[in-house]
Amino acid sequence: IMKLKLPNPGLEDRILSHQQLDKVEEEEAGDRPKWDNKAQYMLTCVGFCVGLGNVWRFPYLCQSHGGGAFMIPFLILLVLEGIPLLHLEFAIGQRLRRGSLGVWATIHPYLTGIGVASMCVSLTISLYYNTIIAWILWYLFNSFQETLPWSQCPMNANLTGIISECERSSPVDYFWYRETLNTTPSIEEDGGLQWWMLLCHVCAWSFLYICIIRGIETTGKAVYVTSTLPYVVLTVFLIRGLTLKGSFNGVKFLFTPDLSELAKPTTWLDAGAQVFYSFSLAFGGLISFSSYNSVHNNCEQDAVIISIINGFTSVYAATVIYTIIGFRATERFDNCLSGNIVALLNAFELAESDITDSSYDQVVQRLNETYPDVIQGLDLKTCNLDTFLSEGVEGTGLAFIVFTEAITKMPISPLWAVLFFIMLFCLGLSSMFGNIEGIIVPLQDLKVFPKTWPKEATTAVTCLICCAVGLIFLQGSGNYWLSLFDTYGGSIPLLVVAFCEMVSVVYIYGIDRFNDDIKFMIGHKPNFFWQATWRVISPLIMLFILVFYIITKVSEKLLYKAWDPESEKFPTLVEKTYPVWIYVIIFVLAGIPCIAIPFIAVWKCVKHSSESINLFFFTFQNIQINL
Amino acid sequence: MLGKIFFLLCLSSAWAEDLCSKAVPPEAYYVRLSIKTALGDKAYVWNDNEMFLFQATLAFAMRSQFSGQEYNVSNIVVCDETPRVSFWFVVTSLEDPSRLVSRGDVEQAVRKSRNRINSAFLLTDQTLEFIGITPTLAAPVAPNTPPWLIVFGVVMGAVFAGILVLLVLPLIQKKRKKNQPMEDEDSDEETQVKTAENGPERSGVYNMSFSDDDKFTQM
């Protein structure tokens, strides 16, 4: 099974031979765009891989799966799954010099479905990812004020007090759920378009358009800023964070290893999924980007370097985030404790110096023995630092609620807010470049746009259509739609596509031919590590992750968390079940890209056989006529 | 004269002690100071002098509210002082020391001069609490145009300008090229020389089987 190669006649006719490649390279006769220099290519790939997930998904996974211990499955799977897949995509793109759809169609026309599935997934993700960028822009625009709008509750209509929804939750929650999203209590109520979000949405798409207006010609210039600025901001935040009180609590909490977590399969599953999504594999964008390289570019070295950078960025970002989270948690803990102390002082009329932070526990115990009913009546809150440290810190909750709250407590808050949101904006935008590449190039390969149209027009039409469809996420219920798309549109299809990619290259294109290609391109045959991972280890890991993912997703109830001011549990999010018609949407999101692969293969097969049958009858008729 | 004043003082202090030993009257206001919370290391010690200042500021507040009525320190009766630094007080009326000024009047006076009272003790509304008199919330400053709209306008303007420039620039460059035929002829000669040099190398014919048009029909 190692050396299995499926029959693939006609492959030689579809691809350029090594000599032809060299010739095209020398004479620069190809009409493909090219990178201005290696740095642009590396920065674009790094920007595509390093995205919002490194900042708001990895730190949460790390902390919830045993801190430092999570590094072990993460690094193991990075080496066994991430790097081989990355090298494979780079090499195949550089060799066949086509976008993702072109590559699979070239390997075998029946495999066009893989390219179509990639394109569908890139499309789904682009739609909602840019809405997240719109939210980031909204917060960025609102950061240019002396008092940040999410630091205090607004007054109600008759100026007698603060708005009840805000009073019951918190200013940051209120700003996020009400003033930004204006969220409805359930997904069925759409709540209409929010005009301020529409403006930010249009701004986000316009910004993206200006960066991709001429493909990599303009993207290549934009990445000098969008890929490097996040690192600068992270470093600034690290320095600022380490000087705040309580930051070391956060970092300690993050990295304290809990080796018992390694025994749980969910840890390994989450690590594998994180490595996979973090590398933006199976989107088609990386294949496209590497196809603009010169034929003898060292793709092996690139793959290793980018993987190392990606892994390092995840850990670095996690450290920075947790210094700030440690600060916030310590601040909350101190406030909780002082609140309790004040309540005790007031109830027992003690002098202020009688109870300090350190003597609090003893005093409470002593008072509880003598006046237990008074203590009960006071309803003291339990203040636990670890609880504060592990409060819902992933995804949009981390960026827009937890981190923004922490920023309001730092001196010169507007500066930190602006820096933070510019960093998120750059991270998101550079990932969008790859997503859009994964849509536009297949569309060009499918000849959807007329050949006479200039590049500016094709990118404009794509952006306009995506902008229009993205209006779903600007409604009151937009946040629920977004998490639906995120959970189902961006997970299972990618895993399926990645698995098919590996199988196609190794067994349909042929691992021998692939090895020869790499020898031709970089000068030496890939060593045993690559052979083992490409042929056996990585496909097996992908299969495991895919199967377990499907099992967990299918077996769990379809629930979503809603912000409902009328519910009793408010301000905690309420879990609600999706309405029945959501299943159709989920099928469209997750099922159609996966089904496209076999469906298009069968369709092409039928078309081919009907054509050969036609050809046969045509020649038969000719023979008959000649007779 | 001296005798009368002495008599009145004794009477009022006796009356004050009387008041304190009775139950808390409905006109009383409960006061709580949190000096250490507010000032930390710079906290001053609460003693009789500070209490005197409190009575004086309250008398000042009553005077500012009810102009003409000359309230004095003796009119502010303070009782039940605790180590927490909390106590309750009442204001006796000017005409009849046995009558107390109503809660409403005291509240009005305190609200009017709240800022001055706070400043006298270097405290805030939260650290010098009059239980029952809620601090008036500051009206939020609402700018006419929301600031975010201004930033948005600037950014969008820049982006649109950029898009226009990027779209229009190549058209202008094309026009310039058309208007300069002389330079074109010179560059033609150069390319001719170049092709002559590259001539022998271009002798092969390469099979463009890798052609976009035939991609899907070739099976």
Side-chain angles (χ1 to χ4, degrees):
Chain A
I1 204 156
M2 301 282 215
K3 286 274 184 175
L4 176 72
K5 183 182 175 340
L6 297 168
N8 194 353
L11 181 61
E12 303 273 333
D13 302 329
R14 292 192 294 267
I15 60 179
L16 286 176
S17 75
H18 293 174
Q19 294 81 3
Q20 289 164 346
L21 279 176
D22 269 333
K23 231 184 200 147
V24 171
E25 177 93 357
E26 258 173 50
E27 290 152 9
E28 304 192 354
D31 58 354
R32 270 191 99 62
K34 276 186 354 182
W35 296 106
D36 286 346
N37 54 47
K38 185 76 183 282
Q40 278 188 4
Y41 165 62
M42 293 297 275
L43 284 175
T44 310
C45 288
V46 165
F48 186 24
C49 295
V50 171
L52 295 170
N54 295 68
V55 165
W56 71 33
R57 175 85 178 137
F58 178 79
Y60 169 74
L61 284 177
C62 209
Q63 168 263 321
S64 65
H65 284 299
F70 184 73
M71 297 294 173
I72 299 174
F74 182 71
L75 287 173
I76 291 179
L77 288 170
L78 188 124
V79 167
L80 291 179
E81 182 198 350
I83 304 186
L85 269 171
L86 199 62
H87 186 15
L88 187 118
E89 289 209 352
F90 280 163
I92 201 75
Q94 197 171 298
R95 167 66 181 90
L96 296 180
R97 321 200 62 70
R98 311 295 299 274
S100 83
L101 200 125
V103 156
W104 308 116
T106 307
I107 291 183
H108 198 294
Y110 290 2
L111 296 176
T112 317
I114 302 182
V116 172
S118 266
M119 181 184 75
C120 288
V121 173
S122 287
L123 182 65
T124 312
I125 294 189
S126 299
L127 287 175
Y128 75 76
Y129 209 81
N130 227 31
T131 309
I132 300 180
I133 296 184
W135 291 339
I136 295 171
L137 277 179
W138 162 256
Y139 269 79
L140 179 63
F141 294 155
N142 272 294
S143 304
F144 288 94
Q145 296 174 49
E146 211 185 306
T147 34
L148 297 171
W150 55 83
S151 59
Q152 57 199 19
C153 279
M155 307 267 279
N156 60 18
N158 31 9
L159 293 182
T160 49
I162 53 183
I163 297 185
S164 126
E165 189 181 350
C166 189
E167 198 171 355
R168 287 186 290 156
S169 53
S170 72
V172 272
D173 282 321
Y174 180 76
F175 188 76
W176 170 236
Y177 287 109
R178 189 54 52 211
E179 296 197 20
T180 307
L181 300 174
N182 197 11
T183 191
T184 53
S186 70
I187 197 171
E188 289 99 329
E189 304 166 40
D190 64 43
L193 274 185
Q194 319 300 326
W195 66 268
W196 56 93
M197 270 294 113
L198 181 65
L199 290 180
C200 296
H201 183 79
V202 168
C203 189
W205 278 104
S206 312
F207 222 106
L208 183 67
Y209 177 59
I210 196 179
C211 290
I212 59 163
I213 192 169
R214 283 201 213 112
I216 62 167
E217 195 185 317
T218 40
T219 318
K221 313 270 185 315
V223 290
Y224 283 124
V225 174
T226 59
S227 294
T228 50
L229 196 58
Y231 290 96
V232 172
V233 175
L234 276 175
T235 312
V236 168
F237 263 97
L238 183 67
I239 299 173
R240 169 74 270 208
L242 288 174
T243 55
L244 291 170
K245 180 188 174 204
S247 53
F248 285 105
N249 291 339
V251 179
K252 253 193 305 180
F253 185 69
L254 173 70
F255 288 123
T256 319
D258 178 11
L259 291 166
S260 65
E261 285 279 339
L262 291 181
K264 294 189 200 159
T266 47
T267 309
W268 290 86
L269 179 64
D270 279 338
Q274 174 61 19
V275 166
F276 180 73
Y277 297 132
S278 169
F279 278 81
S280 307
L281 297 162
F283 280 76
L286 289 171
I287 298 180
S288 255
F289 286 146
S290 81
S291 72
Y292 304 132
N293 271 329
S294 104
V295 135
H296 293 291
N297 175 51
N298 192 345
C299 49
E300 181 184 24
Q301 199 183 55
D302 293 346
V304 173
I305 291 178
I306 289 180
S307 309
I308 293 177
I309 293 179
N310 198 7
F312 161 75
T313 310
S314 292
V315 176
Y316 190 51
T319 314
V320 173
I321 295 286
Y322 266 82
T323 52
I324 306 290
I325 290 192
F327 160 69
R328 172 187 174 267
T330 310
E331 169 101 19
R332 278 208 158 186
F333 176 72
D334 285 344
N335 282 347
C336 178
L337 208 56
S338 343
N340 284 354
I341 291 179
V342 166
L344 279 175
L345 289 176
N346 291 348
F348 292 99
E349 301 289 2
L350 305 164
E352 286 180 284
S353 42
D354 281 353
I355 312 181
T356 59
D357 289 353
S358 36
S359 64
Y360 171 74
D361 291 314
Q362 298 170 308
V363 174
V364 170
Q365 229 181 354
R366 186 166 42 92
L367 289 172
N368 207 6
E369 285 159 20
T370 37
Y371 305 100
D373 22 307
V374 183
I375 299 281
Q376 289 280 60
L378 283 178
D379 198 17
L380 296 172
K381 293 184 264 193
T382 37
C383 300
N384 184 348
L385 188 60
D386 282 348
T387 322
F388 288 126
L389 282 169
S390 50
E391 267 176 354
V393 286
E394 74 156 329
T396 48
L398 171 66
F400 300 121
I401 299 181
V402 171
F403 216 84
T404 44
E405 189 188 349
I407 288 177
T408 55
K409 306 222 186 320
M410 291 156 63
I412 331 173
S413 320
L415 170 69
W416 307 113
V418 168
L419 277 179
F420 179 63
F421 290 113
I422 284 186
M423 174 184 83
L424 289 186
F425 177 67
C426 288
L427 285 171
L429 195 67
S430 53
S431 297
M432 275 304 288
F433 294 155
N435 288 336
I436 285 286
E437 180 79 11
I439 302 177
I440 290 190
V441 172
L443 284 178
Q444 283 172 343
D445 287 342
L446 285 173
K447 298 197 179 29
V448 167
F449 299 114
K451 260 206 164 115
T452 48
W453 280 18
K455 186 125 194 168
E456 289 89 338
T458 56
T459 43
V461 168
T462 315
C463 286
L464 270 170
I465 296 181
C466 289
C467 187
V469 177
L471 293 178
I472 324 168
F473 305 114
L474 304 181
Q475 303 169 315
S477 53
N479 191 26
Y480 307 132
W481 284 99
L482 199 136
S483 49
L484 184 72
F485 270 60
D486 188 25
T487 318
Y488 298 104
S491 51
I492 295 180
L494 282 175
L495 291 167
V496 171
V497 169
F499 181 72
C500 292
E501 280 188 9
M502 290 212 103
V503 166
S504 306
V505 170
V506 172
Y507 299 112
I508 301 183
Y509 185 73
I511 189 74
D512 293 327
R513 182 187 289 277
F514 194 54
N515 287 337
D516 285 338
D517 286 337
I518 294 184
K519 183 160 180 207
F520 163 70
M521 290 196 292
I522 63 177
H524 60 266
K525 211 171 141 187
N527 61 28
F528 177 72
F529 167 74
W530 302 111
Q531 305 297 325
T533 46
W534 284 336
R535 285 188 219 182
V536 179
I537 303 181
S538 299
L540 273 178
I541 295 180
M542 295 261 55
L543 198 61
F544 271 135
I545 296 180
L546 178 62
V547 167
F548 276 115
Y549 216 94
I550 293 181
I551 292 177
T552 40
K553 281 278 175 261
V554 164
S555 58
E556 70 185 18
K557 262 191 92 179
L558 289 179
L559 294 171
Y560 68 102
K561 295 212 174 119
W563 176 262
D564 190 353
E566 322 270 313
S567 85
E568 314 128 357
K569 286 212 232 160
F570 188 80
T572 322
L573 296 172
V574 178
E575 290 204 333
K576 299 194 177 176
T577 47
Y578 281 118
V580 183
W581 47 267
I582 286 288
Y583 288 87
V584 177
I585 310 269
I586 293 180
F587 176 73
V588 170
L589 287 175
I592 290 197
C594 301
I595 291 181
I597 301 176
F599 181 75
I600 291 185
V602 166
W603 178 65
K604 288 252 177 218
C605 186
V606 164
K607 214 173 90 160
H608 171 71
S609 27
S610 75
E611 273 182 14
S612 8
I613 291 174
N614 281 345
L615 195 65
F616 175 70
F617 277 121
F618 181 67
T619 41
F620 189 63
Q621 280 175 348
N622 270 351
I623 295 169
Q624 280 197 321
I625 292 168
N626 286 345
L627 284 175
Chain B
M1 185 60 187
L2 266 170
K4 266 192 193 163
I5 295 171
F6 188 60
F7 177 67
L8 272 170
L9 274 172
C10 283
L11 201 65
S12 56
S13 62
W15 174 245
E17 282 175 29
D18 242 358
L19 205 59
C20 281
S21 50
K22 289 193 196 146
V24 182
E27 294 89 350
Y29 268 108
Y30 193 64
V31 179
R32 191 190 292 142
L33 287 89
S34 312
I35 307 170
K36 242 182 149 196
T37 320
L39 301 169
D41 292 332
K42 302 196 189 101
Y44 48 81
V45 180
W46 185 262
N47 52 28
D48 288 334
N49 300 336
E50 305 284 348
M51 184 55 85
F52 181 79
L53 180 59
F54 179 79
Q55 289 172 306
T57 32
L58 235 76
F60 160 76
M62 293 300 290
R63 284 197 190 198
S64 342
Q65 174 67 7
F66 304 106
S67 55
Q69 302 188 25
E70 296 202 350
Y71 285 90
N72 236 315
V73 171
S74 47
N75 292 110
I76 317 291
V77 177
V78 171
C79 301
D80 277 353
E81 204 180 319
T82 65
R84 172 72 180 82
V85 192
S86 62
F87 47 82
W88 55 267
F89 74 93
V90 282
V91 183
T92 56
S93 95
L94 284 172
E95 302 90 30
D96 179 9
S98 57
R99 237 173 21 95
L100 304 172
V101 175
S102 70
R103 264 181 92 91
D105 287 342
V106 176
E107 179 172 345
Q108 275 181 4
V110 169
R111 272 192 197 278
K112 187 172 175 195
S113 312
R114 189 63 188 265
N115 216 11
R116 300 295 296 274
I117 303 175
N118 286 350
S119 319
F121 291 95
L122 308 173
L123 297 172
T124 65
D125 280 350
Q126 283 74 37
T127 39
L128 202 174
E129 300 165 78
F130 285 84
I131 311 296
I133 304 181
T134 49
T136 41
L137 301 162
V141 177
N144 290 333
T145 22
W148 73 268
L149 215 48
I150 300 173
V151 183
F152 166 76
V154 168
V155 171
M156 273 306 261
V159 169
F160 274 139
I163 293 178
L164 274 173
V165 164
L166 282 175
L167 287 175
V168 167
L169 213 60
L171 294 171
I172 295 179
Q173 280 175 347
K174 271 187 199 165
K175 275 192 185 161
R176 278 207 196 131
K177 276 192 183 161
K178 281 184 189 164
N179 292 342
Q180 290 161 352
M182 287 301 290
E183 290 185 30
D184 276 357
E185 282 178 33
D186 287 338
S187 60
D188 270 346
E189 282 179 13
E190 286 174 47
T191 49
Q192 278 176 7
V193 171
K194 273 193 189 148
T195 44
E197 285 173 13
N198 288 343
E201 290 178 23
R202 281 186 187 241
S203 56
V205 174
Y206 55 80
N207 181 12
M208 284 295 275
S209 62
F210 184 69
S211 149
D212 281 0
D213 295 327
D214 298 339
K215 182 175 60 194
F216 283 101
T217 50
Q218 270 194 346
M219 290 291 242

